[in-house]
Amino acid sequence: MNGGSVPPEKAGTVFQMKEYKGLLSWLSPVDHKQIGIMYFITSLTFFLVAVSLAMIMRTQLIRPNHGWLSSATYNQVFSMHGTTMVFLAVMPMLIAFMIYFTPLMIGARDVAFPRMNALSYWLYLMGGLLLYFSFFTGGALNVGWSAYAPLTETNYTMSKYMIGTGVDYWIVGLLLAGAGTIMNSVNILVTVAALRAPDMKLSRVPLFVWMSAANAVLMLLAMPALNTALVMLFLDRHLNALFFVPAAGGKPLLWQHYFWFFGHPEVYILILPGFGIISEVIPVFSRKPIFGYAFLAIATVAIGFLSFGVWAHHMFATGMNFTVYYVFALASMLIAVPTGIKVFNWIATMWGGSISFDTAMLFAVAFILQFTIGGLTGVAFATVPIDWALTHTYFVVAHFHYTLLGGTLFTVMAGFYYWYPKITGRMLSEKLGKIQFWLMVIGFNGAFFILHFAGLAGMPRRVYTYPDLPHLASINLISSLSAYILALGILVFFANLIVSLRKGKPAGDNPWNGATLEWATSSPPPPRNFERIPPVRSITPLWDLKESGRLPDTLPSSSRERDNE
Amino acid sequence: MSRIRLAMLLFVASESVFFILLIIAYVVYHATTPSAADAFRYLDVPKTGIFTACLVGSSFTMWRAGIHFRNGARRAALALLFTTLVLGTAFLAGQGVEYVSLIRKNVIISRDLFGTTFFTLTGFHGLHVFIGLTMLGTLFGLELKRGIVDPLRAVDSVSIYWHFVDGVWAVIFPVVYLWILQ
Ligand code: HEM
Ligand SMILES: [Cu+2]
C-alpha cells in the first residue's frame, strides 16, 4: 500500500520537493507539514541557544568562588535558559510533533485551520525574537523563569541594582507566543474531532493523538492563566497599577497562585506529548500492540484533569494552613498513581515482545528509567516537610531536569529517530545515534544525579557562585564535566540531523514497520498527505493489512539488516 | 457541530479562564482591602444598570437575528443585527462616559486597589465588547453586500462570541456593582 508514487531509491528529501522550493513557499506556508518543519527548525535553534546558556552556567559553577560571570549576568543567563527551554524550545518542539503528525495519524489532509496554524507559528517566532531582543536593550529577564512578584515591579527592576526592561520583553514575548499556543490547541482539538478518516473511531486513534488532544486541552485552559498574570504585571509596570505592590495592599502571592495555576499544567504540557511519542515507539520496536490502550488514554485525561488541582505544591514554603497543605500534598501524590501505571503499561508492552534496540527505542527505555527517578523525587517533594527543607536548593533543579531533560527531551529524541525518516525521506544514522545516546545518558546522569546531593548539602539554586564548603567543589566539578559530555551528545545529534539529510539512506514508506497511518504514505508525504487511506479496523491498521496479506512484506524489520552504513 | 462552531466554543472556554481569574483578583482585593469602600462612593449603579440592559438586550436581538437568518428572513435578520450593533455601541459609550466621570474624580488605575482591579476587569471586558462589535460590523457590512459564502455559520460563530461577552458582563455587573449596594 504505497501512498506516494515515488520508489524509495529515487525519493529526494523534503527540501527537494517542488512544493517546498523557494523563499516564498517558506514565507507563506499553510501545509501543516511545512509549518511543522518550521516549528522543528525554530525550536531546535532556540534549544541550541538554551543549551549554550546552560553550558555558560555550568562553566561558571565549575569551581567555588569562580569570578568569571558577575551575579547580574548569571541572573539573566539562568532566567533566559529556563524561559527559553520551556517556552521556546521544548514546548514548541512538542507542538511541532503534534501539528505534523496528528493529521497524518488520523488520516486527514491537513489541520482544521491551516492559516491559523501559520499565524500560530509567526506569533511564536516573533514572541521568541522579542524575548531575545531584550539582550540589546540593557538586559534580559533576570528574575527567574517564574518571575516572582514583587521582584518584577519597577522599583526593583529599575533600581541601581538592576536596570532593564527585560521583564517587559518577557511579558510581551510570552503573550504573543501564548496566543499562538492557544490557537494551536484549538486547531489540534478541532482536527481530532472533525477530520478523522471515516472508520477512525476515537477508540482506534493512536495514543499519540490522544495525548496530543489531552495536551491541547491543557494548553487551552492553562495558557490564559499565564496571560492573566502577565497582563496584571504589565499594568503594574506601565500604568502603575497596584496588583503586586505590597505597600498599597497588593498581594505578591497572587502572582504565585496564578503563575502556578498555569505552571503546574505547563509541566504536564511538557510531558504529555512525550508520553504519546513513547506510546508509539515502544509497541513498534517491541513488535507488539500497546498494552492497555484504553487505560493509557483514560489515565492521560485523568492526569490532565488532576493537574489543575495541585498548583499550590509549588508554594508550600509560603506558609499556608494545614488543610491546604493536606489537600495539595495528597492531590499531588495522587497524580503519581496514573503516571506510575503508565510506566507499567510501557513495560508490559515490552514484556515478551521481540525488542529491537534501535536508537529510538534506546531513548524510550532510558526515558522510562530517568522519568521514574524524577517522578520519585516529585513524590518526595509533595511531602510538605521535605519540600520545606529542600525547596529552592539544587535538589529541585535535579528533580525537574530528571523529568524535563531525562524525561521529555529523551522522548523528543526518540521521536526524532523514529519520525525523521517520515519527515525528510532519509534515515538518521544509527551509528551516530548510538554515540549520541550514550553520551547523553552518561552526561545527563552524571550532571544531574549528583546535584541531588548538592541540594541535600544545602546549595541554593539561582546563585552565581558558592563558597568552598565540604563536597560542593567536587560535586559541581563532576556535574559540570558531565554537562560537557551531555552537550557533546547534543552536538552529535545536530550533526546527525544535518549529515543524514545529505548522506542518510532513503527511508522508504515504512522503515520501522510502523502500524499507524502516517506510515501508509510516502516519505516525505505528498502535500495532501495521502492518495488512498487504508481501512482502519483497529489501533494498528498497517499490521492488520500485513496480516491479511495485502501489504507486500518487503520491509526490513530488524535493525541489523538495516544498519549497514 | 461545525468546525467553526467548535473552534469558537473552545476559544471561549479559554477566554473564560482569563476572565474568571480577573474576577477572582477583583473579589480577593475587594474582600481584603479597606479601600473597597471607595467603590460605593463613585460608581453610578442605576446608570450602569441601564447600559447593562442594553448589552443583555443585544444578546436577545443577536439570538433573534440568528433565527431569522436560518428561516431565510434576511431583511429582518439584518435589521436585528443592526440593532445588536447599536445596543453594543451604546454599552461601550456608557462605559466611556463612566470612565470619564471616574477619572474626573481622580479614580484612576494607580489610585488604589479598587482602581487597579476595577479598570483592569471592566477595561478588558470593554476591549472584548469592542472586538465583538468589530466582528458584528464586519458581518453586517459583508452580508449587506452579500459577500459571505456561508452566512449561517458566520452568524453562528459571531453570536457565540457575543453571548460570551454578555455572559461575562452578567457576572461582572453583580460582582462589581451590586456587591457594594448592601
Ligand atoms: C542541556 C542540558 C541542561 C543543562 C546543563 C541545564 C542546567 C541547568 C542548571 C545548572 C540550572 C540551575 C541554574 C540555577 O539555579 O542557578 C538550570 C535551570 C533550569 N533549567 Fe536547565 N539545563 C539543561 C536543560 C534543560 C531542559 C531540557 C529544560 C527544560 C525544559 C531546562 C529547564 C530549566 C528550568 C525551567 C530552569 C530554572 C530556571 C530558573 O531558575 O528560573 N533545562 N538548568
Ligand atoms: Cu507542580
Side-chain angles (χ1 to χ4, degrees):
Chain A
M1 172 88 23
N2 273 2
S5 43
V6 200
E9 317 76 68
K10 292 210 191 116
T13 68
V14 63
F15 297 104
Q16 287 149 7
M17 287 169 69
K18 69 172 190 312
E19 290 81 4
Y20 302 146
K21 277 250 164 81
L23 186 63
L24 194 63
S25 123
W26 291 97
L27 284 178
S28 57
V30 277
D31 179 347
H32 73 102
K33 300 183 293 302
Q34 196 177 8
I35 297 175
I37 290 171
M38 292 167 74
Y39 263 103
F40 278 123
I41 294 174
T42 313
S43 56
L44 282 170
T45 310
F46 279 121
F47 175 67
L48 208 55
V49 173
V51 170
S52 315
L53 292 172
M55 289 310 127
I56 294 175
M57 292 193 293
R58 281 316 325 170
T59 307
Q60 164 66 17
L61 296 173
I62 197 163
R63 62 180 175 81
N65 304 314
H66 196 183
W68 179 47
L69 293 185
S70 69
S71 59
T73 313
Y74 187 83
N75 288 349
Q76 295 176 33
V77 172
F78 79 73
S79 302
M80 289 298 275
H81 163 75
T83 300
T84 309
M85 278 296 187
V86 170
F87 293 102
L88 305 179
V90 175
M91 191 159 75
M93 219 178 283
L94 297 168
I95 289 176
F97 280 110
M98 285 163 67
I99 63 176
Y100 193 106
F101 286 105
T102 312
L104 279 168
M105 291 176 112
I106 59 175
R109 304 214 172 273
D110 207 319
V111 291
F113 305 103
R115 275 175 291 187
M116 187 164 86
N117 202 16
L119 180 59
S120 295
Y121 170 78
W122 294 115
L123 285 169
Y124 153 56
L125 177 67
M126 296 304 157
L129 292 181
L130 259 184
L131 188 67
Y132 270 85
F133 189 72
S134 60
F135 273 114
F136 305 105
T137 65
L141 178 78
N142 53 4
V143 286
W145 83 287
S146 47
Y148 275 10
L151 200 58
T152 43
E153 292 290 335
T154 31
N155 50 340
Y156 291 97
T157 55
M158 295 301 189
S159 70
K160 66 176 193 249
Y161 304 107
M162 322 177 187
I163 351 148
T165 44
V167 178
D168 301 307
Y169 282 95
W170 180 77
I171 294 172
V172 178
L174 291 195
L175 279 174
L176 284 182
T181 311
I182 291 173
M183 291 180 205
N184 284 133
S185 327
V186 172
N187 231 333
I188 292 291
L189 285 170
V190 179
T191 305
V192 175
L195 300 186
R196 297 194 308 280
D199 36 8
M200 179 64 82
K201 297 182 188 159
L202 271 184
S203 57
R204 293 172 186 165
V205 158
L207 279 169
F208 178 76
V209 175
W210 264 104
M211 305 206 180
S212 296
N215 198 46
V217 173
L218 288 191
M219 296 196 297
L220 188 78
L221 301 178
M223 296 311 291
L226 176 66
N227 291 348
T228 315
L230 290 175
V231 298
M232 285 160 68
L233 182 60
F234 192 83
L235 293 173
D236 270 14
R237 289 176 61 86
H238 290 274
L239 295 179
N240 298 323
L242 306 165
F243 281 112
F244 308 120
V245 181
K251 295 179 194 305
L253 276 187
L254 195 67
W255 170 271
Q256 290 194 28
H257 278 294
Y258 284 13
F259 185 85
W260 289 117
F261 185 74
F262 146 79
H264 189 83
E266 173 67 19
V267 305
Y268 282 86
I269 292 169
L270 289 170
I271 193 68
L272 285 187
F275 286 173
I277 295 172
I278 294 305
S279 306
E280 299 301 324
V281 167
I282 287 188
V284 167
F285 291 91
S286 309
R287 304 274 170 268
K288 260 179 76 190
I290 189 86
F291 178 86
Y293 170 87
F295 180 86
L296 276 165
I298 292 166
T300 308
V301 177
I303 291 176
F305 192 71
L306 280 173
S307 72
F308 280 101
V310 297
W311 77 91
H313 63 209
H314 296 271
M315 301 169 59
F316 284 156
T318 59
M320 297 182 287
N321 73 46
F322 273 91
T323 323
V324 178
Y325 283 138
Y326 286 134
V327 169
F328 280 99
L330 281 174
S332 307
M333 292 179 191
L334 207 59
I335 288 200
V337 177
T339 314
I341 299 181
K342 278 186 175 192
V343 169
F344 286 115
N345 279 35
W346 293 319
I347 294 173
T349 307
M350 297 195 294
W351 200 269
S354 56
I355 301 176
S356 55
F357 280 107
D358 298 279
T359 310
M361 186 63 171
L362 289 177
F363 274 109
V365 173
F367 154 81
I368 296 180
L369 296 172
Q370 290 165 178
F371 186 78
T372 304
I373 296 178
L376 288 175
T377 48
V379 174
F381 264 122
T383 317
V384 181
I386 295 185
D387 181 274
W388 280 340
L390 293 178
T391 193
H392 221 277
T393 68
Y394 262 87
F395 198 86
V396 182
V397 175
H399 155 68
F400 68 65
H401 283 85
Y402 261 87
T403 57
L404 294 177
L405 208 177
T408 307
L409 192 66
F410 272 60
T411 68
V412 167
M413 289 301 164
F416 273 113
Y417 278 88
Y418 181 51
W419 276 319
Y420 182 92
K422 179 52 61 183
I423 299 171
T424 63
R426 297 299 168 96
M427 309 293 291
L428 279 173
S429 156
E430 283 288 317
K431 209 188 292 162
L432 285 180
K434 284 181 180 140
I435 296 173
Q436 177 205 343
F437 172 76
W438 288 111
L439 286 174
M440 282 188 70
V441 167
I442 295 167
F444 163 69
N445 288 289
F448 286 98
F449 195 78
I450 201 162
L451 285 183
H452 290 108
F453 300 107
L456 290 170
M459 179 168 167
R461 64 189 281 209
R462 295 175 172 169
V463 291
Y464 80 110
T465 194
Y466 50 94
D468 193 3
L469 294 173
H471 308 306
L472 286 192
S474 49
I475 290 177
N476 278 290
L477 181 66
I478 295 172
S479 175
S480 291
L481 294 180
S482 308
Y484 296 142
I485 299 178
L486 172 61
L488 190 64
I490 292 170
L491 287 181
V492 172
F493 169 64
F494 277 90
N496 199 353
L497 287 183
I498 294 164
V499 171
S500 296
L501 198 59
R502 296 167 159 274
K503 303 239 172 83
K505 289 193 342 176
D509 289 2
N510 191 357
W512 310 116
N513 192 10
T516 39
L517 288 190
E518 78 272 29
W519 301 109
T521 184
S522 60
S523 315
R528 300 296 283 163
N529 289 355
F530 299 96
E531 266 160 26
R532 258 179 315 152
I533 295 165
V536 182
R537 300 270 170 272
S538 73
I539 56 167
T540 52
L542 299 201
W543 290 353
D544 300 350
L545 281 182
K546 215 169 87 178
E547 249 163 52
S548 66
R550 288 208 282 145
L551 191 74
D553 190 7
T554 53
L555 309 163
S557 52
S558 94
S559 68
R560 268 145 300 282
E561 268 172 64
R562 206 170 34 248
D563 213 20
N564 50 8
E565 16 181 22
Chain B
M1 196 188 299
S2 80
R3 288 181 212 176
I4 307 271
R5 190 184 171 86
L6 180 59
M8 198 46 122
L9 287 173
L10 291 170
F11 176 64
V12 159
S14 184
E15 289 278 272
S16 307
V17 175
F18 180 82
F19 274 109
I20 288 170
L21 293 186
L22 279 186
I23 291 170
I24 290 177
Y26 181 90
V27 170
V28 164
Y29 286 124
H30 192 70
T32 56
T33 45
S35 69
D38 285 347
F40 182 68
R41 281 193 272 144
Y42 296 113
L43 293 183
D44 189 341
V45 181
K47 208 165 164 190
T48 311
I50 294 171
F51 290 118
T52 302
C54 286
L55 198 61
V56 174
S58 77
S59 236
F60 178 76
T61 53
M62 187 76 220
W63 170 60
R64 296 300 303 168
I67 292 181
H68 282 298
F69 262 117
R70 232 164 293 144
N71 297 339
R74 189 168 161 272
R75 294 195 54 173
L78 276 174
L80 280 162
L81 209 56
F82 188 72
T83 321
T84 312
L85 209 59
V86 171
L87 288 170
T89 312
F91 172 83
L92 210 56
Q95 196 172 28
V97 171
E98 181 187 37
Y99 273 26
V100 170
S101 80
L102 286 175
I103 290 167
R104 286 234 174 90
K105 293 176 194 127
N106 201 27
V107 181
I108 53 176
I109 193 166
S110 56
R111 180 178 192 260
D112 55 11
L113 277 164
F114 169 71
T116 293
T117 50
F118 172 81
F119 282 108
T120 305
L121 180 55
T122 57
F124 269 104
H125 178 264
L127 180 68
H128 281 71
V129 174
F130 179 74
I131 294 169
L133 286 174
T134 318
M135 287 160 69
L136 280 171
T138 315
L139 187 67
F140 180 75
L142 283 179
E143 183 50 25
L144 207 59
K145 298 249 187 287
R146 292 184 185 275
I148 302 183
V149 186
D150 189 347
L152 272 187
R153 272 195 205 167
V155 171
D156 187 45
S157 57
V158 173
S159 75
I160 291 175
Y161 185 79
W162 192 252
H163 292 319
F164 165 69
V165 171
D166 285 1
V168 171
W169 188 256
V171 180
I172 294 179
F173 184 68
V175 168
V176 175
Y177 293 84
L178 300 185
W179 190 2
I180 58 175
L181 282 182
Q182 319 144 4

